[in-house]
Every structure is written in structure tokens, then in C-alpha cells.
Amino acid sequence: MPVSLAPAPPPPALDPDQARALLKALADPIRLQVIEALGDGERCVCDLTEQLGLAQSKLSFHLRVLKEAGLLVDRQSGRWVYYRLRTESIEQLRGWLQGLAAHSATPAKPCR
């Protein structure tokens, strides 16, 4: 079966409510640390707990918020749960921010 070399289509655009939900989840400093840690790749909860110096219950709360916002996905292997970033959500947020940046240069209409 031939493999397509065409680039993947861009993820669907975010609406402002979806962008606000993602930004709200990212606004917490601990959750941002989790995101940064997962920027190096998939991690087990035990590794994140140690790296971030957080109690497992506190980390689990923040992981749940990030997962519900659509920023993380998890998988279970035995008794361990591994988390990784959901790249589609990050790409969607980047696209939304790029749209803001592109339109922010539009000059105001003259006042009467």
C-alpha cells in the first residue's frame, strides 16, 4: 500500500471559547510546569511527581484539569499512567494566536 507524503491537514480552528478554555488551563503556574515537563516527551506520573516536587494528589488534580481541557492524553501500562501533550490542541492554540497577531496590526477606523 503506497504511503502518502503529503503534509497532514491543519487541525480545525479554535473558536474563542475553546481558546479561552485552553488558556485558562495553562494560566496556572503548576500546570504550565507540567506542560513544560511534557514538552520533553511522554512521562509517567511518578517521574512528574519527582521532577516537579509535587504530591501525587496535587499533581493528579492538575493533570485532570489539563486532560479535561484537551491538552493532554494518557495511557495506562500496568499500574502506571503515562501522559503526553496533545499536539493537535497546541497547534490549534498556535493557529488561534497567529490569527490574533495577524489581525492586531489592523489600524482603527478614524473617529468622527
Side-chain angles (χ1 to χ4, degrees), residues 107-112:
K109 294 178 183 174
C111 296
R112 297 178 191 217

Side-chain angles (χ1 to χ4, degrees), residues 6-64:
L14 290 178
D15 66 41
D17 288 338
Q18 292 170 314
R20 279 191 286 274
L22 293 179
L23 291 170
K24 182 178 178 183
L26 292 170
D28 182 275
I30 292 175
R31 291 195 284 270
L32 196 51
Q33 285 180 311
V34 171
I35 292 291
E36 290 170 339
L38 293 174
D40 291 333
E42 184 182 65
R43 294 284 182 78
C44 175
V45 170
C46 59
D47 291 336
L48 289 170
T49 301
E50 182 177 319
Q51 180 180 348
L52 301 174
L54 296 171
Q56 187 169 347
S57 60
K58 189 171 190 174
L59 177 61
S60 292
F61 168 77
H62 290 291
L63 287 169
R64 182 175 51 82

Side-chain angles (χ1 to χ4, degrees), residues 11 14 22 26 35-36 38-39 69-72 84-98:
L14 290 178
L22 293 179
L26 292 170
I35 292 291
E36 290 170 339
L38 293 174
L71 289 162
L72 303 181
R84 66 180 168 82
L85 296 178
R86 188 170 170 262
T87 55
E88 181 183 28
S89 294
I90 295 170
E91 290 298 325
Q92 287 175 311
L93 186 57
R94 182 169 67 170
W96 185 80
L97 290 169
Q98 284 177 329

Side-chain angles (χ1 to χ4, degrees), residues 1-8:
M1 175 179 227
V3 176
S4 173
L5 298 177

